[in-house]
Amino acid sequence: MQLDKELLLQKAKQYLLELASIYTPSGEEARATSFFEKVSKELNLDLKITKTKSFLLGKGDLLLASHVDTVPGFIEPKEEGGTIYGRGVVDAKGPLISMLLATWILNENGYKVQFAGLSDEENKSSGARELANSGNWYKGIIIGEPTSTTKIVIEYRGVTHVDVICNYESQHSSSANFNPILEVSKKLIEVSQLPTTYDKPSIVPTIIKAGEYVNVTPSTVYLHFDIRYPYGFKLDDILLKLKEEFASCEIKITEQVPPVKVSANDKIVKSLYKALLLQNIKPAFVRKAGTSDMNILSAITKNIATYGPGDSKLEHTSYEKITLEEIFIGIITYTKAIEDLCYSDC
């Protein structure tokens, strides 16, 4: 199958406007079922809908994976002058459509490639966790997230969410000789570490709840910490000070996603790099302070990286927009990267 640019631009525009018009915040991905049923037939790719409402098209041991869900807040999609606006067109329905069309092209040309439109990436990544626990193993995985079209992500920090619950004896405020809020505040200041540089872990308090009555000291103080840390750090070491300061309190880890780091010499990274060079685009390697499904899916492959069209600075904003040219570059990059990977390893 030849890469007809006008045909691909037409399909990309049609599919992205259609998918962006379907409001799919985390937990509502099933709303996109009819869209994926339609494209499954049009692109001749078998469709499997999983328990988490992820959408798998095609079969193979090479995977192009993006996510269907968006952050909340629907924005009606529109197209003006080759640019598409709307909620999720950058994060990550634009990259998803590029991957979908690349999967179609590759399968038509005899390559065995699977596409995954995963669920819940903006929340707890239940779609990626389901796939990681499915027993599947892939020769290579590319994660579709906006990387400003020219960049390849080779590292994401890990995240751990921690609840701290401290219980005390309530006292009447007029005669209280001890105040739990003041006590916890001192500990809070001691353990908190605001983000400074990528290479330094951060421990950021995001929620604090205490008290029920205006004239009684609280019997319970609840805190939540968002902890981010780069590859190479041990979580136990990061948590040590928090556990020491709050030794008399209950500490619960509510979510844990390990950091991920790959070499610039990894096969999938080199293939993406070559694919961009073939288009006269100078690639750059980047590290991301947040997390993505790459952190989770790295457990089921030895070759993984993140790449996608779209300006990453526009993610989660009211100004999401992506050009059809960016989506076309994404299609070509995914296609050429898989072809290059297969040239040496399929």
Side-chain angles (χ1 to χ4, degrees):
M1 179 181 178
Q2 298 298 314
L3 297 175
D4 185 319
K5 183 173 182 178
E6 289 306 313
L7 171 64
L8 290 173
L9 289 175
Q10 182 181 6
K11 279 189 171 293
K13 176 182 174 180
Q14 174 195 341
Y15 285 165
L16 183 52
L17 284 171
E18 186 172 345
L19 185 57
S21 70
I22 304 169
Y23 183 43
T24 54
S26 302
E28 301 293 335
E29 294 87 352
R31 294 177 178 177
T33 298
S34 60
F35 170 81
F36 285 104
E37 288 175 339
K38 185 190 83 165
V39 298
S40 168
K41 294 175 183 177
E42 291 182 355
L43 303 182
N44 194 30
L45 295 168
D46 291 339
L47 172 64
K48 177 183 177 182
I49 304 174
T50 73
K51 290 182 180 179
T52 66
K53 302 305 178 187
S54 294
F55 302 92
L56 307 180
L57 287 92
K59 296 178 181 178
D61 56 9
L62 295 168
L63 179 68
L64 300 179
S66 189
H67 62 93
V68 178
D69 64 314
T70 68
V71 295
F74 181 69
I75 300 172
E76 188 71 37
K78 63 179 181 179
E79 186 267 338
E80 291 181 355
T83 297
I84 296 181
Y85 301 78
R87 170 64 70 218
V89 298
V90 172
D91 188 16
K93 292 180 178 179
L96 183 149
I97 294 301
S98 288
M99 283 191 154
L100 182 61
L101 291 172
T103 302
W104 171 51
I105 293 164
L106 288 161
N107 277 274
E108 288 292 311
N109 289 340
Y111 297 94
K112 299 300 182 184
V113 179
Q114 187 174 53
F115 163 89
L118 298 173
S119 62
D120 200 44
E121 193 274 345
E122 300 291 0
N123 185 34
K124 300 291 185 181
S125 287
S126 60
R129 294 180 190 278
E130 178 187 45
L131 185 57
N133 292 321
S134 67
N136 290 358
W137 179 263
Y138 295 93
K139 286 184 180 178
I141 299 176
I142 302 175
I143 303 296
E145 290 280 355
T147 62
S148 299
T149 313
T150 64
K151 299 172 183 176
I152 303 166
V153 182
I154 59 173
E155 185 175 351
Y156 283 95
R157 296 205 298 177
V159 61
T160 299
H161 287 281
V162 179
D163 284 344
V164 177
I165 303 168
C166 303
N167 295 310
Y168 302 94
E169 288 291 332
S170 294
Q171 299 179 16
H172 196 284
S173 57
S174 64
S175 58
N177 54 19
F178 174 83
N179 190 291
I181 295 176
L182 294 177
E183 178 69 13
V184 167
S185 296
K186 294 174 186 176
K187 298 177 183 293
L188 195 60
I189 292 169
E190 284 297 315
V191 302
S192 297
Q193 298 176 26
L194 297 181
T196 52
T197 64
Y198 182 93
D199 295 312
K200 185 177 179 181
S202 60
I203 304 175
V204 179
T206 56
I207 302 173
I208 180 168
K209 296 178 181 178
E212 296 180 45
Y213 307 103
V214 295
N215 59 351
V216 179
T217 63
S219 60
T220 302
V221 181
Y222 165 81
L223 302 168
H224 183 83
F225 291 93
D226 181 314
I227 299 172
R228 308 279 173 156
Y229 60 104
Y231 188 87
F233 280 81
K234 293 182 179 179
L235 180 60
D236 287 344
D237 293 340
I238 299 170
L239 292 174
L240 186 60
K241 191 171 184 180
L242 188 147
K243 289 180 177 178
E244 289 176 349
E245 286 291 335
F246 293 98
S248 61
C249 302
E250 182 182 4
I251 298 173
K252 296 179 182 178
I253 295 177
T254 60
E255 182 184 11
Q256 186 174 347
V257 179
V260 61
K261 180 180 181 179
V262 299
S263 168
N265 291 317
D266 279 9
K267 291 178 181 179
I268 205 82
V269 177
K270 290 170 73 174
S271 292
L272 284 166
Y273 196 93
K274 290 178 186 177
L276 288 166
L277 287 178
L278 285 172
Q279 300 171 80
N280 296 315
I281 296 170
K282 185 177 180 180
F285 299 128
V286 293
R287 306 182 297 176
K288 290 282 190 174
T291 59
S292 81
D293 284 341
M294 178 172 161
N295 296 65
I296 296 167
L297 296 181
S298 62
I300 56 173
T301 186
K302 290 184 178 179
N303 295 294
I304 192 167
T306 295
Y307 167 80
D311 185 349
S312 60
K313 293 178 183 177
L314 299 178
E315 307 177 40
H316 300 183
T317 71
S318 300
Y319 313 104
E320 283 188 81
K321 63 179 180 179
I322 191 169
T323 66
L324 292 171
E325 184 66 28
E326 287 175 295
I327 292 173
F328 179 74
I329 291 171
I331 296 169
I332 300 304
T333 303
Y334 295 134
T335 303
K336 295 299 183 184
I338 295 298
E339 289 175 348
D340 180 77
L341 189 69
C342 282
Y343 180 77
S344 60
D345 197 35
C346 283

